[in-house]
Amino acid sequence: MKRADLDILVQEGEGAMLEYKERLSASLARELVAFANTAGGRILLGVRDDGTIKGIDDANKLRARIQNIARDCDPPVKVLVSRVGRVTVVTVRESDAKPVQCGDGFFWRQGAVTQKLSREEIRRFFQQAGAIRFDLSVCSRFRYPKDFDEDKFRDWLSKSTITQGGSTADILVNIEAAERAGGNLLFRNAGVLFFAREPRRFFNQAYVTCLLFKGVSKMHVLDRKDFDGGMVADIEDSLRFIERNTRTAYRIEKLQREEIPEYPMAALREAITNAVMHRDWFIEGANVFIEIYEDRIEVSSPGGLPQGMLPEDLGIKSVRRNPLIADLLHRIAFIEKAGTGIRRMREGARSLGYPEPEFSSGSFFSAVFWPIRKAVTATPEATPEVAPQAGTEPGVSRDQAKAQAKAHDKAHDKAHDKAHDKAHDKAHDKAHDKAHDKAHDKAHDKNYKQLSLMEQKVLRTCSKSPQSTLELMQAMGYKTRSGGLKRALTKLMNLEFMEMTIPDKPRSKNQQYRITSAGRKFLKDMDKETAP
């Protein structure tokens, strides 16, 4: 690090990756651990909190003490000690073995403050590192046989291919639902979810909520059921709730009537099973939801995608968040172990003429299913005409069913026309926007050509990676903040060549500036014009 770099850091002020310390003290261990648990950073020894450089004597004793403090952390923290003028700079690397602790506990960096981690935050650290598995952890509050439900176990056993030759305890240990310790049978969390008399007594999030709404929004709830009878019962009860609250259609071919569910039930069963199996059980304030609307069914589970999974991996790659839960469901043929759930949902719906389900992931992972009347096929033969089944409601005759079918067709045609009009309007708007953007670009060309050399340099610097104000100052050769740089940034953002990375907090210490697609186009066009 050079003196100019130090000047910039002192001007910037303390932040998420920078700490000032006037002298070396025992609290250095906390700062080292906090940076190692976050994203790394620098500690400037010999600098007061207000940024005044007081200085600190450079000696081998000082360097040795810093290294000893770093080695005493668990695991040891990697540091680099260097000298810039009268300041000792301790560069801390982010740890690849988080969480790191010192004698005072676990710490991390939040903004410019070092804070001690709570018990929940420590557990989350271990969970993200894969050191804690919910389903494999032992439930210390469960007591066998007092809390054990023999009927649930026998029902699960009858569905499996396991012979019932051994004792109940032996089978539970062999399938890893429990383990022996000091003559006692200790149940793992997965075993509790499957075989406890009251699973919610141990895990309040162990239930599935099914909701029936009127219309296509969450305004009016017509029916609600919370199922908490255990892993297997919750899946089966949820599926029955869907069957009760969706319609059955029929088609007649050669005087034979074939019943057709409104939704692909096998694919929905797969979705519900996946939801309870792959959910993040560490999230205690949320549960699995199944929501039935007039035009769709949504199945959502807490936790989003497991670590290591990307949206584009769906149906191709499998990462099991809860391997023991998956194994217990596989043993009773509720799932296939090969991780084919997403693909089976898509192919199962499509092969029967239903639209493919749509998947999304955020804090929740959701699957959305559409009814068969929404299906679009290449030929009329691919999806025969379907009418509501006669007798699905009390007092409904076949003639009434025909009238309902006619009304359904009329509504379908109306919906089709509406969809066509919407698509037409969308295409028109898209063409209008394209023409508008083209005219907008042309109108701004004159301004685009008027960038100063400094503005061009700022733009090129940000084209490599997002830059903070201090990084741009360094690139421009400034030692103090410059009004010229501020004006350049303002102009580039007004031209939509650059944008803030944190637009809702313009004064944030973590603020950076990045180039936009319009800015990249400008540089490309300018390079073409200036090329020999």
Side-chain angles (χ1 to χ4, degrees):
M1 180 186 291
K2 299 178 181 178
R3 180 55 190 259
D5 299 325
L6 177 63
D7 291 341
I8 292 172
L9 290 176
V10 171
Q11 292 169 24
E12 175 70 8
E14 292 180 312
M17 301 181 70
L18 183 64
E19 174 74 14
Y20 301 157
K21 293 189 76 66
E22 185 173 344
R23 63 181 65 86
L24 182 62
S25 65
S27 66
L28 178 69
R30 300 183 181 184
E31 312 298 345
L32 296 179
V33 164
F35 283 128
N37 278 331
T38 316
R42 290 190 180 100
I43 301 171
L44 304 185
L45 292 176
V47 180
R48 294 191 175 102
D49 289 342
D50 61 2
T52 304
I53 296 178
K54 178 184 178 183
I56 189 170
D57 292 338
D58 185 26
N60 290 334
K61 184 178 179 180
L62 174 70
R63 292 170 180 257
R65 188 179 172 191
I66 294 170
Q67 293 290 354
N68 287 337
I69 293 173
R71 279 195 292 269
D72 287 342
C73 297
D74 184 21
V77 175
K78 296 178 181 179
V79 298
L80 175 66
V81 182
S82 59
R83 187 74 175 178
V84 182
R86 295 185 296 123
V87 174
T88 295
V89 181
V90 183
T91 302
V92 185
R93 295 181 182 176
E94 181 180 1
S95 175
D96 56 4
K98 300 175 186 178
V100 182
Q101 66 175 326
C102 62
D104 294 331
F106 295 86
F107 295 84
W108 66 355
R109 196 76 175 173
Q110 289 190 320
V113 180
T114 292
Q115 292 191 352
K116 192 168 186 177
L117 287 166
S118 67
R119 174 182 174 276
E120 180 60 33
E121 288 164 341
I122 295 170
R123 186 172 72 166
R124 179 65 61 179
F125 254 122
F126 278 110
Q127 180 198 351
Q128 291 173 348
I132 298 177
R133 294 282 188 179
F134 173 87
D135 56 342
L136 298 173
S137 300
V138 170
C139 182
S140 59
R141 295 188 297 125
F142 188 91
R143 298 290 180 267
Y144 178 84
K146 176 185 174 183
D147 297 321
F148 180 67
D149 192 318
E150 185 76 25
D151 291 337
K152 287 182 183 177
F153 174 70
R154 292 298 164 192
D155 179 65
W156 180 90
L157 202 58
S158 68
K159 292 180 171 72
S160 74
T161 57
I162 300 173
T163 58
Q164 302 185 28
S167 67
T168 296
D170 287 340
I171 296 173
L172 288 168
V173 172
N174 288 336
I175 63 176
E176 300 186 80
E179 59 184 61
R180 289 190 173 91
N184 296 320
L185 200 63
L186 304 181
F187 264 64
R188 290 175 170 165
N189 290 341
V192 175
L193 292 173
F194 276 84
F195 307 125
R197 293 181 187 275
E198 301 174 66
R200 283 192 71 181
R201 190 159 64 85
F202 303 95
F203 307 111
N204 186 53
Q205 72 273 34
Y207 65 103
V208 177
T209 296
C210 294
L211 293 155
L212 174 66
F213 294 100
K214 181 181 180 180
V216 297
S217 67
K218 297 184 179 184
M219 290 288 291
H220 303 289
V221 178
L222 298 178
D223 192 12
R224 172 181 175 141
K225 290 288 187 294
D226 292 327
F227 299 114
D228 57 3
M231 187 71 71
V232 175
D234 291 352
I235 295 170
E236 295 177 335
D237 289 341
S238 299
L239 199 66
R240 282 192 283 269
F241 182 90
I242 293 175
E243 290 173 338
R244 287 197 308 269
N245 289 289
T246 55
R247 293 170 292 185
T248 302
Y250 73 91
R251 65 180 169 192
I252 297 177
E253 288 185 352
K254 298 180 181 179
L255 301 180
Q256 296 294 319
R257 187 178 74 175
E258 178 186 357
E259 292 186 349
I260 302 172
E262 188 177 10
Y263 289 89
M265 301 308 295
L268 274 164
R269 182 186 185 90
E270 190 85 33
I272 297 168
T273 304
N274 275 12
V276 299
M277 175 178 66
H278 289 307
R279 67 152 293 174
D280 187 342
W281 285 94
F282 283 108
I283 301 176
E284 299 178 0
N287 60 290
V288 173
F289 277 87
I290 298 168
E291 299 169 329
I292 303 176
Y293 298 90
E294 184 179 302
D295 64 340
R296 68 193 186 281
I297 294 178
E298 296 184 11
V299 180
S300 55
S301 59
L305 291 175
Q307 188 174 3
M309 277 281 287
L310 299 173
E312 54 266 30
D313 295 328
L314 290 173
I316 302 172
K317 181 180 176 182
S318 175
V319 176
R320 293 186 298 163
R321 178 182 272 130
N322 305 297
L324 181 53
I325 291 175
D327 184 66
L328 293 175
L329 288 169
H330 172 68
R331 288 177 181 272
I332 57 176
F334 269 48
I335 64 163
E336 289 188 8
K337 210 169 187 177
T340 58
I342 298 294
R343 189 173 72 249
R344 289 171 66 191
M345 279 184 254
R346 286 171 170 161
E347 293 177 353
R350 187 174 61 247
S351 65
L352 296 174
Y354 295 87
E356 286 190 17
E358 297 177 6
F359 303 98
S360 61
S361 178
S363 57
F364 276 68
F365 180 80
S366 298
V368 181
F369 292 82
W370 310 98
I372 196 169
R373 66 175 180 269
K374 296 287 186 183
V376 178
T377 54
T379 61
E381 293 78 16
T383 304
E385 196 67 30
V386 177
Q389 177 186 356
T392 53
E393 298 179 8
V396 178
S397 66
R398 189 173 296 277
D399 290 339
Q400 289 172 321
K402 289 180 179 179
Q404 290 173 358
K406 186 175 180 181
H408 173 270
D409 290 343
K410 186 176 180 181
H412 178 272
D413 291 342
K414 186 176 180 181
H416 177 272
D417 291 342
K418 186 176 180 181
H420 176 270
D421 291 342
K422 187 176 180 180
H424 178 270
D425 291 342
K426 187 175 181 181
H428 178 271
D429 291 342
K430 187 175 181 181
H432 178 269
D433 291 343
K434 187 175 181 181
H436 178 270
D437 291 343
K438 188 175 181 181
H440 179 271
D441 292 342
K442 187 175 181 181
H444 279 69
D445 275 348
K446 291 183 180 179
N447 290 331
Y448 292 171
K449 308 299 182 183
Q450 302 302 317
L451 293 190
S452 67
L453 291 177
M454 187 179 81
E455 290 160 356
Q456 293 178 28
K457 187 175 180 180
V458 170
L459 194 59
R460 288 195 184 278
T461 303
C462 292
S463 70
K464 299 172 185 177
S465 64
Q467 303 286 311
S468 67
T469 303
L470 284 177
E471 289 169 330
L472 286 171
M473 286 170 57
Q474 184 177 0
M476 299 299 111
Y478 293 124
K479 292 186 178 181
T480 59
R481 294 182 183 273
S482 165
L485 177 59
K486 183 177 180 181
R487 287 191 294 273
L489 288 171
T490 301
K491 180 177 177 179
L492 289 169
M493 287 191 291
N494 287 339
L495 290 172
E496 298 181 359
F497 283 172
M498 284 176 51
E499 62 186 6
M500 294 181 179
T501 56
I502 314 176
D504 54 332
K505 296 181 179 179
R507 298 181 180 273
S508 170
K509 291 183 178 181
N510 299 319
Q511 186 66 260
Q512 290 182 310
Y513 300 89
R514 62 188 169 207
I515 192 170
T516 64
S517 58
R520 292 189 185 280
K521 182 177 183 300
F522 170 80
L523 290 179
K524 186 177 180 181
D525 292 344
M526 188 177 70
D527 290 341
K528 285 181 181 179
E529 290 180 7
T530 57

